[in-house]
Amino acid sequence: MSKKNTKYIFVTGGVTSSLGKGIVSASLGLLLKSRGFSVTIQKLDPYINIDPGTLNPYEHGECYVTEDGAETDLDLGHYERFLDSQTSQNNNVTTGKIYQTVIEKERKGDFLGKTVQVIPHITNEIKRRIKILAKQNYDIIITEIGGTVGDIESLPYIESVRQLRWELGESNSMVIHLTLLPYLAASGELKTKPSQHSVRQLMESGIQADVLVCRTEHKIPKEQRAKLAQFCNVALENVIECKDLETIYEVPIYLQKQNFDDVVLKELDLRSDKEADLKDWKHFLKRYQNPKKTVEIALVGKYVSLQDSYKSIAEAFIHAGADLNTEVRLRWVYSGDLTDDNLQETFEGIDGMLIAPGFGDRGIEGKISAARYARENQIPLLGICLGMQIMTIEYARNVLGYKKANSVEFDTGTPEPVISLMEEQKNVVEKGGTMRLGAWKCALKPGSRLYDIYGAKSISERHRHRYEFNSDYKEAFERNGLIPSGVNPETGLVETLELQNHPFYVGVQYHPEYKSTVATPHPLFKALIEATARK
């Protein structure tokens, strides 16, 4: 197979962070894919952490895990959900990874005799990481650069883009600059000056933006659009409006109406006879925005004050709900506030419950109380990762009679360690990248609820955890009705638990939310929503 001439799109941001570069990149990827091009999206993060695996969810939101076990930025979740295709460790690069690689090479003597510097050594490594995805023969690679133009941390990435644009030659790359048009209520107008300054700062680094995507609360008047085009050296049709919308899933359609995909293809000198077909996407959106019924599900977690901490879970409910013509309202419940005295009040009127993943002992007893409440009151419950472990501890204490049952994560001296460490984890000292990560197989028990939900006896799901169900207790749980219905065929580790004689009481050690997309809602989330109707 002959190698394709891969084209590169670089997405930068200005004025302020959190403008939605990830959503714009994912939307563009969807439009280009629907035009017949093979597309992938990459995120370059300027922080010095090797990956977000050790970052506090309050600071950085969710840590998203790929099939090959990379702990990555939550934007990769958007890429997968929009494109319905998998990313990998090569799709998320951090400054930490870049410097680690360069320093390791220096220690091995690869640069012997040379002074190792940001230019060319760091920038060469950044360029190598950007181009590595081209080996998979994509037509187009979209590279989103985190942060904003002018950040000290982003400078090596901006310089690498400048070099790459020159090396790749005309029409083989382009830059999309995402910027903010603030609205001043006092004067009643949108202001273009911050965007002008941002583009000028980009030009000072040697990069001319080809397309401006302007985040705005209001429609951009013609004269403002013309002003931006004139002062920022871009064609008028290359000034794209990105207005605040009710849902991120409207963004691709909003951008398509402005011929965003045509503008990009023209800049890259690409042609496609295929029009962007978003029929299925529009069908999903219509079902999502016009539900026939509503259910309320309590999401019990430790990080609920920053809802991005559970981004993939929230989006998985949207996908599954739309598929079932159901609006899923989430009731965010901080587990640290739960006590036996306020359970009834807190969960009054809910149709279902999800106990979320997490780490550390804060809020654990509240989660255990929530699991007991759902079990005793016949409320459909899905426990994910730590959620399954919580269900295990609760059942051991209140049904099996092991009053001091616990996880060794929370009590190293527990006499009943129903959740424990795998042997190979016991001597692990480093935190980052040392858990059971990525896709692992699971064999499902024929006749079990999960077997029926998946319609398969063998599945593969993504993991991110260190502690496991202690197989020494497997028989006791099975004998008492909480059935280990899924195990890893190679290690024998318990992957799933389900309670008999309950509308829906299922715990999974893996993270099903990572595999839910608009095109393929996850069956477990659909099953939980369906169970709320039978409650």
Side-chain angles (χ1 to χ4, degrees):
M1 188 169 67
S2 60
K3 192 176 184 309
K4 290 180 180 177
N5 177 30
T6 302
K7 307 271 188 170
Y8 295 83
I9 300 171
F10 301 103
V11 181
T12 59
V15 184
T16 179
S17 59
S18 301
L19 283 181
K21 291 192 298 293
I23 299 299
V24 169
S25 298
S27 298
L28 175 59
L30 173 67
L31 292 173
L32 295 173
K33 184 181 178 183
S34 70
R35 297 288 296 266
F37 296 97
S38 59
V39 185
T40 192
I41 314 176
Q42 178 186 51
K43 175 78 182 283
L44 305 184
D45 273 311
Y47 52 74
I48 298 173
N49 303 65
I50 300 296
D51 57 47
T54 55
L55 287 173
N56 188 329
Y58 281 129
E59 188 169 320
H60 199 73
E62 170 189 81
C63 174
Y64 186 81
V65 178
T66 59
E67 281 284 298
D68 62 352
E71 294 176 286
T72 69
D73 185 81
L74 62 78
D75 272 336
L76 269 74
H78 291 311
Y79 306 161
E80 290 202 7
R81 286 189 284 272
F82 276 57
L83 292 183
D84 195 35
S85 59
Q86 293 173 4
T87 55
S88 71
Q89 60 182 343
N90 291 326
N91 290 73
N92 194 197
V93 179
T94 67
T95 296
K97 281 181 187 170
I98 299 293
Y99 273 83
Q100 185 184 48
T101 302
V102 171
I103 289 167
E104 282 173 357
K105 284 182 178 178
E106 186 274 330
R107 291 290 84 188
K108 283 190 285 188
D110 288 10
F111 308 124
L112 214 53
K114 298 286 185 187
T115 303
V116 181
Q117 297 175 290
V118 173
I119 303 173
H121 302 98
I122 296 299
T123 51
N124 281 350
E125 178 60 22
I126 292 170
K127 288 188 290 183
R128 185 185 75 81
R129 297 277 189 146
I130 290 171
K131 293 197 287 187
I132 204 168
L133 287 165
K135 292 178 181 176
Q136 296 175 43
N137 260 11
Y138 287 107
D139 294 313
I140 301 166
I141 295 172
I142 302 171
T143 300
E144 176 196 345
I145 299 172
T148 55
V149 170
D151 295 346
I152 290 173
E153 296 94 337
S154 299
L155 287 175
Y157 293 104
I158 299 298
E159 169 59 18
S160 299
V161 170
R162 185 197 66 76
Q163 292 179 23
L164 259 179
R165 294 210 69 190
W166 177 70
E167 291 167 17
L168 291 166
E170 201 172 339
S171 299
N172 286 322
S173 71
M174 64 175 293
V175 173
I176 297 171
H177 190 57
L178 187 64
T179 184
L180 175 69
L181 294 189
Y183 179 77
L184 295 189
S187 59
E189 60 181 341
L190 291 170
K191 304 303 287 184
T192 64
K193 194 63 75 177
S195 296
Q196 292 177 44
H197 284 309
S198 181
V199 170
R200 187 165 296 163
Q201 195 155 27
L202 196 58
M203 290 172 71
E204 286 172 5
S205 299
I207 296 174
Q208 167 66 53
D210 300 293
V211 174
L212 281 187
V213 176
C214 303
R215 280 301 307 274
T216 169
E217 295 175 25
H218 304 272
K219 285 195 75 67
I220 306 172
K222 282 182 183 175
E223 59 270 22
Q224 301 284 64
R225 200 182 281 254
K227 190 175 179 182
L228 280 165
Q230 183 181 30
F231 281 90
C232 298
N233 292 355
V234 297
L236 185 60
E237 62 269 21
N238 288 20
V239 178
I240 306 291
E241 176 185 285
C242 193
K243 206 157 72 79
D244 293 353
L245 301 167
E246 280 186 21
T247 168
I248 58 172
Y249 297 108
E250 289 183 64
V251 176
I253 295 162
Y254 195 81
L255 294 176
Q256 186 192 29
K257 285 176 181 173
Q258 298 174 74
N259 303 313
F260 188 33
D261 45 330
D262 286 325
V263 165
V264 167
L265 293 177
K266 183 181 174 185
E267 289 293 331
L268 293 174
D269 195 23
L270 288 172
R271 285 162 187 79
S272 172
D273 297 329
K274 187 179 178 185
E275 287 301 310
D277 180 11
L278 297 183
K279 185 177 67 189
D280 290 343
W281 192 271
K282 288 174 181 175
H283 182 62
F284 152 76
L285 195 57
K286 186 178 179 182
R287 290 163 74 100
Y288 170 53
Q289 293 178 325
N290 301 280
K292 291 182 178 172
K293 57 180 185 283
T294 300
V295 299
E296 187 169 15
I297 292 176
L299 192 154
V300 183
K302 293 166 59 174
Y303 314 115
V304 294
S305 62
L306 181 68
Q307 294 176 6
D308 269 3
S309 302
Y310 304 112
K311 190 66 178 170
S312 291
I313 291 174
E315 299 305 310
F317 274 123
I318 288 173
H319 308 152
D323 200 60
L324 298 169
N325 286 306
T326 302
E327 178 191 3
V328 180
R329 290 181 183 163
L330 292 180
R331 185 184 298 184
W332 300 84
V333 177
Y334 172 53
S335 60
D337 289 339
L338 288 175
T339 65
D340 288 341
D341 295 331
N342 65 14
L343 288 173
Q344 180 74 40
E345 179 190 348
T346 303
F347 296 122
E348 185 70 42
I350 65 163
D351 301 297
M353 185 188 298
L354 183 143
I355 298 182
F359 296 91
D361 58 3
R362 180 172 56 84
I364 291 303
E365 291 302 321
K367 285 189 174 184
I368 292 170
S369 295
R372 178 175 62 79
Y373 185 85
R375 179 175 60 80
E376 292 177 348
N377 290 279
Q378 300 287 294
I379 294 169
L381 168 65
L382 174 61
I384 294 178
C385 196
L386 175 64
M388 184 190 102
Q389 297 176 5
I390 292 294
M391 294 161 76
T392 304
I393 296 166
E394 188 280 322
Y395 207 77
R397 288 182 187 178
N398 298 316
V399 178
L400 305 187
Y402 304 143
K403 295 300 179 188
K404 294 187 177 178
N406 216 327
S407 165
V408 295
E409 181 182 5
F410 316 130
D411 180 5
T412 53
T414 176
E416 303 291 355
V418 290
I419 304 295
S420 61
L421 279 171
M422 287 190 296
E423 279 304 313
E424 56 263 41
Q425 287 283 350
K426 287 183 178 175
N427 297 316
V428 171
V429 178
E430 292 191 357
K431 299 278 188 203
T434 57
M435 293 181 277
R436 185 146 76 100
L437 291 163
W440 287 63
K441 287 182 180 174
C442 173
L444 296 174
K445 197 172 185 177
S448 66
R449 184 187 287 268
L450 279 156
Y451 182 90
D452 292 339
I453 289 169
Y454 280 93
K457 60 184 177 184
S458 180
I459 59 169
S460 173
E461 292 279 7
R462 300 181 200 177
H463 292 66
R464 183 179 182 247
H465 64 102
R466 181 168 281 112
Y467 297 86
E468 305 281 354
F469 179 93
N470 188 338
S471 294
D472 292 345
Y473 293 89
K474 188 176 172 184
E475 199 179 306
F477 276 87
E478 194 148 18
R479 204 168 51 241
N480 287 277
L482 190 58
I483 310 297
S485 57
V487 295
N488 179 271
E490 292 161 20
T491 63
L493 291 167
V494 171
E495 296 275 13
T496 71
L497 292 169
E498 55 184 76
L499 184 62
Q500 295 176 318
N501 304 317
H502 192 284
F504 187 93
Y505 196 83
V506 173
V508 295
Q509 187 56 78
Y510 47 79
H511 288 260
E513 70 273 21
Y514 292 148
K515 292 186 79 167
S516 181
T517 71
V518 170
T520 53
H522 198 284
L524 257 179
F525 285 86
K526 287 174 64 176
L528 175 61
I529 295 167
E530 286 171 331
T532 63
R534 295 194 301 268
K535 180 169 71 80

